Amino acid sequence: MPFVVDATESDFEDAVVLRSHQLPVLLDIGADWCSPCRVLTPLLERLAQDYAGRFVLVKVDADENMRIAGRHQAKGFPTVIGYSHGQVIDRFHGMQTEGFLRRFLDQLLAHHAKSPQPENTQ
């Protein structure tokens, strides 16, 4: 699925920050040992498929990318953060219902659609 990708410290800027200027990005910071992560991540992947490319799900393994987790103050897992136009818009921690996730995504999509695109300065 092109709208579900894994990111590391080396490609985070391109995968999340720069990409969020085109489409909203949902950043999923989790860990293999985290039980709620093992439930939430497949649900987020299914929602990414249901939304058919209206947002990109970027998954980050916190154990392998501790700087990303630290930079985002991920104190618990999973930590999910919505990005739009290079900025953090909203976040939540822990397992959530599908209804909550759809509302979160719909708000992120609405924010992205109404936010002005920065002028191209090149």
Side-chain angles (χ1 to χ4, degrees), residues 14-113:
D14 289 337
V16 176
V17 180
L18 294 177
R19 184 73 183 265
S20 75
H21 288 282
Q22 300 166 344
L23 289 171
V25 171
L26 197 63
L27 173 61
D28 176 18
I29 303 173
D32 290 339
W33 50 263
C34 165
S35 295
C37 300
R38 291 194 304 262
V39 176
L40 183 66
T41 297
L43 180 54
L44 292 174
E45 290 171 341
R46 185 171 57 76
L47 289 172
Q49 187 173 12
D50 288 354
Y51 279 69
R54 292 174 49 210
F55 74 94
V56 177
L57 174 62
V58 177
K59 302 182 301 180
V60 170
D61 184 309
D63 289 332
E64 295 177 11
N65 300 280
M66 295 174 98
R67 287 186 199 172
I68 294 172
R71 185 177 337 139
H72 288 87
Q73 300 174 341
K75 296 180 179 18
F77 302 114
T79 293
V80 178
I81 301 168
Y83 268 84
S84 174
H85 300 292
Q87 301 294 318
V88 171
I89 302 306
D90 203 357
R91 66 172 52 223
F92 65 86
H93 304 279
M95 184 59 201
Q96 301 293 334
T97 66
E98 182 173 342
F100 173 92
L101 297 172
R102 286 185 181 276
R103 286 188 300 277
F104 187 91
L105 285 167
D106 291 344
Q107 289 172 355
L108 179 62
L109 293 169
H111 182 277
H112 187 81

